[in-house]
Amino acid sequence: MQLFLNTTSPFARVVRVVALEKGLADQLTLVSADPWNHDPALLAVHPQLRIPVLITPEGSAIAESLLIAQYLDMVGTGPALVPAAHAAAVLARTSVAYGLMEAAFHVVIGRKYEGMQADTSVMGQRRLTSIGRVLQQLESASPTPLADHATLDTITTAVALDYVRFRLPALFATQAYPQLHQWLNQAQQQPHLAHTRFA
Ligand SMILES: N[C@@H](CCC(=O)N[C@@H](CS)C(=O)NCC(=O)O)C(=O)O
C-alpha cells in the first residue's frame, strides 16, 4: 500500500499511528507529497489534491483520514480502533478532536496564505473561537486515560493537541491548560505517537 503524506500533516499522522496500531506499518510505502504545489503524482491518484491518500493493494485511492482509518481498522490486526462496547463515546470524542484538528489546520493555512488578517475574517474568528471552546472543554473534562491499545479518540485527541502545540502555541499556553499539557506529554511517550512526531 502507498500512503501519500507529509510529515507536518495532522491528518496524515493519524493514519500513520493507526497503521502502526493495526500492525500494517510495514506494508505501507510512504510517499512524500506537496498538495500546495499541484503535486502531479498526488493529482494522478486523487482529484481532491489533499493528503493523506491511501492506495490499497487493489489500487483504490482513499482520501480523508477517518475513512482511511476505518479501512485500516478493517484490514489490520489487533483490537478495534472503535470498540463496539464504547462506540458512541469513542466517536463522540473523536468528533471533538477531529474538529479541533480541522479548525487549527485552517487557522494555520489561512495565516500562511492571507497573513494574520485571516484571523479577523468571519471564518477565522469562528475557528479561533472553536479552538478555545474545545481546549477548555477538554481541559475541564480531561481526555480519557491512555490505554495499552489506543482507540481512535485518544489518537485523534493526541494528534490534534500536539498539532496546536506545534503550530499555534500561543493558543495553548501551559498555564491555561495544565491538565491537557500533562496528558499530552504522557501521550507523546506512546511508541506510535513518539515514532510519528511532527518534523
Ligand atoms: N478532511 C481531510 C483533510 C485533509 C487536509 O486538509 N490535508 C491538508 C494537508 S494537512 C491538505 O492536503 N491541504 C491541501 C488543500 O486543502 O488543498 C482529512 O481528514 O484527511
Side-chain angles (χ1 to χ4, degrees):
M1 291 189 280
Q2 285 182 306
L3 179 65
F4 287 78
L5 80 172
N6 70 35
T7 53
T8 55
S9 164
F11 307 102
R13 187 175 176 195
V14 166
V15 171
R16 290 185 68 198
V17 174
V18 165
L20 285 159
E21 289 289 330
K22 300 300 294 186
L24 294 165
D26 54 1
Q27 293 177 39
L28 275 193
T29 303
L30 304 182
V31 182
S32 213
D34 183 359
W36 301 103
N37 278 318
H38 234 74
D39 189 324
L42 179 60
L43 196 52
V45 296
H46 203 286
Q48 191 165 272
L49 194 58
R50 294 200 297 185
I51 52 165
V53 173
L54 179 80
I55 313 297
T56 70
E58 53 283 297
S60 296
I62 310 174
E64 297 296 327
S65 52
L66 296 183
L67 295 179
I68 301 171
Q70 189 179 359
Y71 171 78
L72 297 178
D73 200 17
M74 288 188 286
V75 299
T77 56
L81 286 179
V82 182
H86 314 288
V90 169
L91 290 173
R93 285 192 291 265
T94 300
S95 70
V96 172
Y98 188 81
L100 174 63
M101 202 180 298
E102 276 219 307
F105 172 72
H106 284 287
V107 168
V108 170
I109 224 64
R111 287 178 180 180
K112 180 172 175 191
Y113 287 103
E114 292 155 35
M116 290 304 283
Q117 72 191 33
D119 285 3
T120 61
S121 70
V122 171
M123 291 312 292
Q125 286 289 300
R126 285 182 67 86
R127 285 168 187 144
L128 287 168
T129 313
S130 161
I131 291 169
R133 256 194 325 256
V134 172
L135 291 176
Q136 269 161 24
Q137 183 188 308
L138 290 175
E139 174 70 15
S140 51
S142 291
T144 37
L146 295 155
D148 285 349
H149 292 288
T151 44
L152 195 58
D153 54 343
T154 52
I155 296 170
T156 49
T157 302
V159 171
L161 289 174
D162 198 37
Y163 183 72
V164 177
R165 185 153 76 176
F166 172 56
R167 290 294 199 204
L168 302 167
L171 301 184
F172 190 31
T174 314
Q175 312 87 286
Y177 303 103
Q179 318 270 15
L180 276 187
H181 277 273
Q182 201 188 3
W183 182 87
L184 180 57
N185 290 341
Q186 256 187 299
Q188 296 284 78
Q189 314 287 325
Q190 199 263 16
H192 300 158
L193 284 159
H195 185 72
T196 56
R197 278 174 189 266
F198 294 120

